[in-house]
Every structure is written in structure tokens, then in C-alpha cells.
Amino acid sequence: MSLSGRQLRSQIDDDGRLTLFLEQVETGEPEDDEIIVRVEAAPINPSDLGLMFGPADLTTMQPVDDHRTGLRFDVPHRRLASVRGRLGQPMPAGNEGAGIIVAAGKNVSLAIGSRVGMIGGAMYADYRRIKAQEAIPLPPDATAADGASIFVNPMTALGFVETARREGHKAIVHTAAASNLGQMLQKICLTDGIPLINLVRSQEQADILHRIGAAHVIDTREADFAARLTDAIEETGATIAFDAVGGGTLASDILQAMERAAVRRASEYDRYGSTVFKQLYIYGVLDLSPTTLNRLAFGFEWSVSGWLLIPFLERFGPEVRQAMRDRVVRELKTTFASRYTRVIGLAEALEPDVLRAYERKATGEKFLIDPTRG
Amino acid sequence: MSLSGRQLRSQIDDDGRLTLFLEQVETGEPEDDEIIVRVEAAPINPSDLGLMFGPADLTTMQPVDDHRTGLRFDVPHRRLASVRGRLGQPMPAGNEGAGIIVAAGKNVSLAIGSRVGMIGGAMYADYRRIKAQEAIPLPPDATAADGASIFVNPMTALGFVETARREGHKAIVHTAAASNLGQMLQKICLTDGIPLINLVRSQEQADILHRIGAAHVIDTREADFAARLTDAIEETGATIAFDAVGGGTLASDILQAMERAAVRRASEYDRYGSTVFKQLYIYGVLDLSPTTLNRLAFGFEWSVSGWLLIPFLERFGPEVRQAMRDRVVRELKTTFASRYTRVIGLAEALEPDVLRAYERKATGEKFLIDPTRG
């Protein structure tokens, strides 16, 4: 059985224009180990926006109706080089989602009519054909909305904790900490007894974290931010940070606070800085500007690195990955509950006002696409 | 037997002044496993200058003759915080050196009158008491000048190669590559068959490296620097860099060139950048300004870290360390030969004109202190 349905795509052409449009596509027959899922829910994550809009200038948005129907944007010429690899290719969007199995290959044990969560891209669509082993069966009481964000945020939050543990750190610093991901991380850390220092940028964000039991919440806009961060690091012994911001001096400020806390504890002066190893992982791009490291303030025992979910999951190995998936399913309605502020249809994602709203990434707002709404 | 001799010291006081002076000190009796060495040669490395002058403003140099006799400098107030740990402490200088054993504890097998190379600080002195196992016996035909730089540069160059090998990289990028250290690294890489891309800042530096057989030498001042570096990386497969500069965008430029080379080889577009892991180690501070990372140009598979000799030697373990020491002794007059342009006495190091000359760190210039000259 092959099914025909819509798929949201983003394409940048050689002329420097990005088009976001719906394409009618055939799923094709499922292979023996594949299923076809009717998508009922797919979240809009920051990483999805990266693929949908690339380096386009969103202020140039215009409706278009030529060989494609949708929205068109200009990509500034100087930014085209960074996306050379995708020019002329229609990129289907939507990292993860959930839905009902409507067809299955002969080797598949999952039942038609049952609900699964999925990772793998192209989820902003009516149907998604996928390998059964890449789908996670949802518990019977879970809605599609419950299972839509089963992968990226939960596995990333668990991945941070696993990374910290493997690399020998006993407490964690997290930036942009009031996000859905940040709240999951805080809940995991409370359960697992790992001190977490949350960095936020508003009282509203601090309140979100305090309500779920956060012990350390520091507002980076406060005048005594550096001093408070240093104190919290000295108290908890945090030597690893996960940073969603990336740009500016925040990463450097965190490493400097870790160094100051280490020097306070050191018994003798070392001109090369403390002997405490400090690791900062950048996993997001909330600030697109360059990262500025005032490295003279934190010696030589440090590392700043990119952190990306899939390669880290590979490193952990199959057993740890399975244990992580099992925990996500088990705690789907507690630790890993996602809250959506607005549910939209697939066609609505191409309405200019709706697009501007989900693109804004405001604190506490989270959109879910439900293609069954039209 | 305890011996009395001079020792060069640097002290920063609470009032923000740094004094460089000679102090008459007693070695004390050697312990059972210790030797006393009469120092005959100790090089002035950039890392020694860091301890001697700290963050002082060298233009404020003045002779001083109060309770200490030497030279005095102002430390700008805003830089005092970075050296709080050493305030009021006399810091003896000189990382490494060589000399003749003049006394030994009863458990020492090295012969009095034999020559050794040493690491451990306080080498700008007439005598150095030290554990015998921290001294490296020199071959009979080696002068003190031959053995004076037996540790820092040779072990660092070998440490780079060992780091690259352990972390799975097959070719290396090196900055400020015409230094004594850089020349050693080039010789090792030629012997071991590891492609090395040398980055320099002048034709004179390029000539030095070409003369010893370097295949890849690129001048960072040239207009086509980025393109040439990308080509050389694509040709060699370099995915690790050791950077002595640290400040500015050079580190970022290298990672970007590695990413471009990786993307050229990639078969499909990945919005998170290439899947090739890129490592850059900063081991020097030739440029004190902040490190600026344009990380959007090199995806998420990267790490920028500090590299410091002693912690990395610890990681390698005793067998690898011993093999490295053995190789240095074996190739002391070839691979690891150091060239000195000027030999000065210990008192001369405090003469203003001499100080300005060795502090300048000009290409190809290297100073050796011989305390026996006075």
C-alpha cells in the first residue's frame, strides 16, 4: 500500500531564494521492516527552524504561487556559501513526531492502529514511511501530543547527564535553562541527585524553574551574575556546562567562573591556571554571533566543543541508548512531558502570521503541527 | 653538602610592582634520592618570560636598589587580579637547564661530575637541588648547551605527535611553525611520515622550514591563505591543529578550512555541518587577545582546548614518557638540536638592553643563560 499526502519542504535555489511549500508525495510501499505512519503531531523545535529557514532573511517573506505554492524569502548573498550543499534540493522538514500505524511490512511486530513516536526528519507530512525499529511504541494512554517530542528533547537532556557522568563531572551548568529541554534536564537532575545550575535571562524564566524545584537559578542580566555563578560553582563543584546560546562571551564567562571557583580551592599558585579540567559544550545557536573566549582568564585546562545528539548517542552504545529510550517512555507524562501552547494544521504553518509567531521562539511558547487538522 | 649561589626571582607585590632580582640562597643538603647540579646552561623560553614578567608593563622598567637589587616594573591595576595567587611570593624562574652534578644523595646512581638535563623550574641559578629521577643523563659528547633544552621543546613536539596519534588524526596543522619547537616537530613528522602543514607569518620563517624539508608552508598574511590552507588540508587529511597564537581568528580560520575540506569530500548535505571531527589545541599565548570562533562556519563536530605539557605527559603514562625521553637523548644533536643566538651570564639577564633583546622573541633568536659566566 502506497499513500499520497502532503509534505512540507524547504528549498534554496541558486538565485538565492528560499521557498517553503507543500508538495504532494507518494510514500511508496513499505519494505518488510518498515511501517507507514499517519502523522498526528510534530513539534516545531529550534533545530527544525534551522532547516526550514536556513540563513534566509525573514523580513523578505512573500507569498508565491508559481510552480510551487507557499512562501518565499531572500537569502543574503554572503550567507549562501554556508548552504551550498543544499542548493536546489527540496529538504523535507520536521525532525520528530508521532502518529498511528496505517500499514506495515511483513517482518514488523508493531500492530496497525497502534501509536508510535518517531525520529528521522520529514515529519511535517500527512504520512511518514519509516523503519519500525526507529519508531518507539507509545503506552496505551499516551496521546500523539504526548509522544510527539519523545526523542529530541528527552534524549538530549538524558544525553547531557550521560555525557557529564562519563566524563567524570559531578555538577552541571545549563544556559537558556527554562526551555522545555531545560525543564526536563532539571527534573532528571533532581531525580538522579546531580546539582544543576540554571542560567536564565528573565524573572519569568526563573519562576518556571523554581516551580519545578530548581535550587540554583541565576539571571545573567543581574549585576552580580559572575559572583553568584562563581559561588554556585564553588558550592556544587560544577565543571561541565551545556550552552544553547553559543555566541558572545557567555561561554567564556562560565569557564572563568569555574576557574575562579577552582583557584579559591587551590592550595598553591600555578601560573598556567588551575589544574581543574573545565568542559563547555555548545549545543545551540540562540546567538548567531561569534564565540569570544577570554582564555587568559581560565588557564589551559579547558575544552569548548560542539555537542550534537546523534553522534553522542552513537558513542554511548546500544545498551545505554535503549535504557534512555525505556526511561523516556516510562516517564513520558512526568519528567518528559512537553507543554504546547498552540496546535496548528500543516497548511497553517505557511500562513505569514502563524509563521512569525512560531519563528519568534518566545519563552514558554511551543507549537505543535497536527496535519490531520488540514 | 649545602652550596650557596644566586637565584633569579620575580616577585609581584600588593602595590602592583614586579621586581626581578638575584637572591643569594642555600641549596640545602641533598636528600638520599637527590643531586645538586651546578647549572651551566638554561634557555629563555616564552613560558619563562610569562613567569618572569607576568602581566607587567615592560615600558615602565626601572633599576632598583633598595632591599633588593634588580629591575622593577609596574603591573597595570586591571591585570593584578589574574596574578592574585602569586602576590608577595618570590617566584624562581627558568623551566629547564643542564649542568654538572656536584653532589648526590646516597641512593643516587648518577656519577658526580657527569652532565644532566633537568626540568622543574628555578634553573636560572648557580645551583639546583633536584630529584635524580627528574634529571636526564646526557651522552658523553653532549655539551651543557646541547642538553639545556632537552625537555620543554622536544617533549612538547613529541607530545603533539603522540596526541594526534592517540586521538586518531593522520595529519597536523601547526601555527608559528618556524620556532625551535616547530622545527623539531617538522623533523619528527618527516621521520615518522606524518603530513604537517606549517603556518608562518614571513618569508624568512618559510625559508627556515623549507630548508629542513617542509612540504607544506603557508604564509597567513597572503591573500589566498584560506584557499591554500583548505587545499593542503584536503590533500593531507589534517583534522588536528596545535596553535601557539591563541588570540584573534586564526584558530577559527583553521577549523573553517578543515570544515571546507571535509564538505568537499562529503557525499550529501548535512545541515549540522560535516561529520568530520576537528580538534584544535591552543598551547601558547603569542596573541593575548580573546579567541574568536566563527563556529557557524564549522558545524558541531569540533573542539577547541588548552594543551599543556605536564598534564598530557601524565595522560600518556610512564612507558610512553620514557620512550619519548629516550628518543630525545638519542636524537639530541639532530632532531632536537637547539640553536642559540646569544649566551649571557645570570647577572646580564638583569641588564636593561639585554632584557629588551630577549623579551622581544624575534624569529630565529634564542637566548641561553650560562651562570658560570657571572
Side-chain angles (χ1 to χ4, degrees):
Chain A
M1 177 166 75
S2 172
L3 294 162
S4 175
R6 300 163 302 162
Q7 190 183 65
L8 183 74
R9 292 180 162 187
S10 165
Q11 180 165 335
I12 303 176
D13 289 302
D14 294 338
D15 61 4
R17 293 192 303 179
L18 181 149
T19 314
L20 203 64
F21 59 104
L22 290 176
E23 183 91 348
Q24 194 72 20
V25 295
E26 284 283 327
T27 61
E29 292 288 330
E31 303 281 323
D32 292 351
D33 60 346
E34 288 184 336
I35 53 178
I36 297 177
V37 177
R38 187 160 112 90
V39 180
E40 298 173 316
I44 303 182
N45 288 319
S47 54
D48 295 311
L49 298 174
L51 184 73
M52 288 166 77
F53 303 119
D57 177 355
L58 296 192
T59 64
T60 64
M61 173 161 59
Q62 285 200 18
V64 66
D65 191 2
D66 42 26
H67 57 289
R68 300 175 202 129
T69 302
L71 296 169
R72 189 161 285 167
F73 309 82
D74 293 340
V75 177
H77 185 73
R78 68 180 190 284
R79 298 190 193 154
L80 266 182
S82 70
V83 288
R84 210 176 38 171
R86 61 171 280 190
L87 292 185
Q89 296 177 50
M91 312 289 289
N95 272 323
E96 61 182 342
I100 294 273
I101 300 177
V102 292
K106 66 178 182 191
N107 296 340
V108 173
S109 59
L110 301 173
I112 288 179
S114 69
R115 203 164 255 147
V116 292
M118 300 174 286
I119 179 79
M123 297 298 169
Y124 299 159
D126 289 313
Y127 298 102
R128 177 67 158 89
R129 179 162 62 89
I130 193 168
K131 282 196 194 305
Q133 68 175 33
E134 283 166 25
I136 302 177
L138 298 179
D141 63 338
T143 64
D146 289 335
S149 296
I150 199 168
F151 202 88
V152 178
N153 280 341
M155 295 296 263
T156 299
L158 286 171
F160 288 172
V161 172
E162 180 66 20
T163 301
R165 202 175 275 146
R166 282 172 171 256
E167 298 181 2
H169 305 277
K170 61 180 193 180
I172 298 171
V173 176
H174 188 219
T175 71
S179 62
N180 263 292
L181 167 62
Q183 294 172 50
M184 289 180 191
L185 181 61
Q186 180 58 75
K187 291 176 192 168
I188 296 167
C189 285
L190 283 169
T191 306
D192 294 10
I194 298 165
L196 176 68
I197 300 168
N198 295 283
L199 303 188
V200 298
R201 281 183 303 181
S202 71
Q203 188 56 47
E204 183 193 356
Q205 293 172 340
D207 292 344
I208 292 173
L209 288 161
H210 281 306
R211 275 197 296 273
I212 60 172
H216 302 280
V217 184
I218 306 174
D219 192 327
T220 58
R221 299 167 318 164
E222 302 286 333
D224 62 348
F225 158 61
R228 288 190 61 202
L229 179 58
T230 305
D231 289 344
I233 289 170
E234 191 182 10
E235 184 186 333
T236 58
T239 47
I240 189 168
F242 295 93
D243 176 27
V245 177
T249 61
L250 182 58
S252 191
D253 293 343
I254 294 168
L255 290 169
Q256 184 169 358
M258 288 179 177
E259 177 70 4
R260 283 201 177 124
V263 167
R264 278 189 200 163
R265 291 169 171 214
S267 54
E268 65 181 68
Y269 173 71
D270 187 323
R271 78 185 115 146
Y272 296 116
S274 80
T275 57
V276 174
F277 181 70
K278 300 161 286 291
Q279 172 72 55
L280 184 134
Y281 283 110
I282 295 177
Y283 73 92
V285 286
L286 292 181
D287 181 342
L288 296 167
S289 69
T291 311
T292 301
L293 303 176
N294 298 306
R295 69 201 185 288
L296 299 190
F298 45 82
F300 279 89
E301 287 282 1
W302 58 272
S303 193
V304 174
S305 318
W307 196 98
L308 201 57
L309 179 57
I310 304 300
F312 271 81
L313 288 180
E314 288 297 322
R315 257 179 248 185
F316 298 160
E319 280 175 37
V320 169
R321 281 201 299 275
Q322 189 58 48
M324 288 166 70
R325 283 167 66 143
D326 292 347
R327 179 167 180 181
V328 175
V329 171
R330 214 162 51 230
E331 303 176 19
L332 194 55
K333 296 206 176 222
T334 53
T335 312
F336 302 108
S338 288
R339 203 171 60 89
Y340 301 99
T341 49
R342 191 159 166 198
V343 182
I344 60 175
L346 194 49
E348 268 182 283
L350 292 180
E351 287 175 13
D353 288 348
V354 178
L355 186 149
R356 280 189 207 99
Y358 64 70
E359 193 281 324
R360 212 170 46 216
K361 292 173 275 192
T363 300
E365 273 189 33
K366 181 129 188 178
F367 280 66
L368 189 70
I369 293 180
D370 175 0
T372 68
R373 294 196 175 198
Chain B
M1 177 166 76
S2 173
L3 294 163
S4 176
R6 299 163 302 162
Q7 190 183 64
L8 183 75
R9 293 179 161 186
S10 164
Q11 180 164 335
I12 304 177
D13 289 302
D14 294 339
D15 61 4
R17 293 191 303 178
L18 182 149
T19 314
L20 202 64
F21 59 104
L22 290 176
E23 183 91 347
Q24 194 72 19
V25 294
E26 283 284 325
T27 61
E29 292 289 329
E31 303 281 322
D32 291 351
D33 60 347
E34 287 183 336
I35 52 178
I36 297 177
V37 177
R38 187 160 113 92
V39 180
E40 298 172 316
I44 302 181
N45 288 319
S47 54
D48 295 311
L49 298 175
L51 183 74
M52 287 166 75
F53 302 119
D57 177 354
L58 295 193
T59 64
T60 63
M61 173 162 57
Q62 284 199 17
V64 65
D65 192 1
D66 41 27
H67 56 291
R68 300 176 201 127
T69 302
L71 295 169
R72 188 162 285 167
F73 310 83
D74 292 341
V75 177
H77 186 71
R78 68 180 189 286
R79 297 191 194 153
L80 265 182
S82 70
V83 288
R84 210 176 36 171
R86 59 171 282 190
L87 292 185
Q89 295 178 49
M91 312 288 289
N95 272 323
E96 61 183 341
I100 294 273
I101 300 177
V102 291
K106 66 179 180 190
N107 296 339
V108 172
S109 59
L110 300 173
I112 288 180
S114 68
R115 203 165 255 148
V116 292
M118 301 173 286
I119 180 78
M123 297 297 168
Y124 299 160
D126 289 314
Y127 298 102
R128 177 68 159 88
R129 179 162 61 91
I130 193 168
K131 280 195 196 306
Q133 67 176 34
E134 282 164 26
I136 302 177
L138 298 179
D141 63 338
T143 64
D146 289 335
S149 296
I150 200 168
F151 202 89
V152 178
N153 280 340
M155 295 297 263
T156 299
L158 286 171
F160 289 172
V161 171
E162 180 65 20
T163 300
R165 200 176 277 147
R166 290 164 95 87
E167 298 181 2
H169 304 276
K170 61 180 192 179
I172 298 170
V173 176
H174 188 218
T175 71
S179 62
N180 262 293
L181 167 61
Q183 295 173 49
M184 289 180 192
L185 180 62
Q186 179 58 75
K187 290 177 193 168
I188 296 166
C189 285
L190 283 170
T191 306
D192 293 10
I194 298 165
L196 176 68
I197 300 168
N198 296 283
L199 303 188
V200 298
R201 282 184 301 181
S202 71
Q203 188 55 47
E204 183 193 357
Q205 293 172 339
D207 292 343
I208 290 174
L209 289 161
H210 282 305
R211 276 197 295 273
I212 59 172
H216 302 280
V217 184
I218 306 175
D219 191 327
T220 58
R221 299 167 317 163
E222 301 286 333
D224 63 347
F225 158 61
R228 288 190 61 200
L229 178 58
T230 306
D231 290 343
I233 289 170
E234 191 182 11
E235 184 188 332
T236 58
T239 48
I240 189 169
F242 295 92
D243 176 26
V245 178
T249 62
L250 182 58
S252 192
D253 294 342
I254 294 169
L255 290 168
Q256 184 168 358
M258 287 178 177
E259 178 70 4
R260 284 202 177 124
V263 167
R264 277 188 201 165
R265 292 171 172 211
S267 53
E268 65 183 66
Y269 173 72
D270 188 322
R271 79 185 114 144
Y272 296 116
S274 80
T275 56
V276 174
F277 181 71
K278 299 162 287 291
Q279 172 72 54
L280 183 134
Y281 283 109
I282 295 176
Y283 74 92
V285 287
L286 291 181
D287 181 342
L288 296 167
S289 69
T291 311
T292 301
L293 301 176
N294 298 305
R295 68 200 185 288
L296 300 189
F298 46 83
F300 279 89
E301 288 281 2
W302 58 272
S303 193
V304 174
S305 318
W307 197 98
L308 202 57
L309 179 57
I310 303 300
F312 271 81
L313 287 180
E314 287 297 321
R315 260 179 244 185
F316 297 159
E319 280 175 38
V320 170
R321 280 201 299 276
Q322 189 58 49
M324 288 166 69
R325 283 167 65 142
D326 292 347
R327 180 167 178 181
V328 175
V329 171
R330 216 163 48 233
E331 303 175 20
L332 193 56
K333 296 206 174 221
T334 53
T335 312
F336 302 108
S338 288
R339 204 170 57 90
Y340 301 98
T341 49
R342 191 158 165 197
V343 182
I344 60 175
L346 193 49
E348 269 181 284
L350 292 180
E351 287 174 13
D353 289 347
V354 178
L355 185 149
R356 280 188 207 98
Y358 64 69
E359 193 280 325
R360 212 169 45 217
K361 292 174 274 191
T363 300
E365 273 189 32
K366 181 129 188 176
F367 280 66
L368 189 70
I369 293 180
D370 175 359
T372 68
R373 292 197 177 199

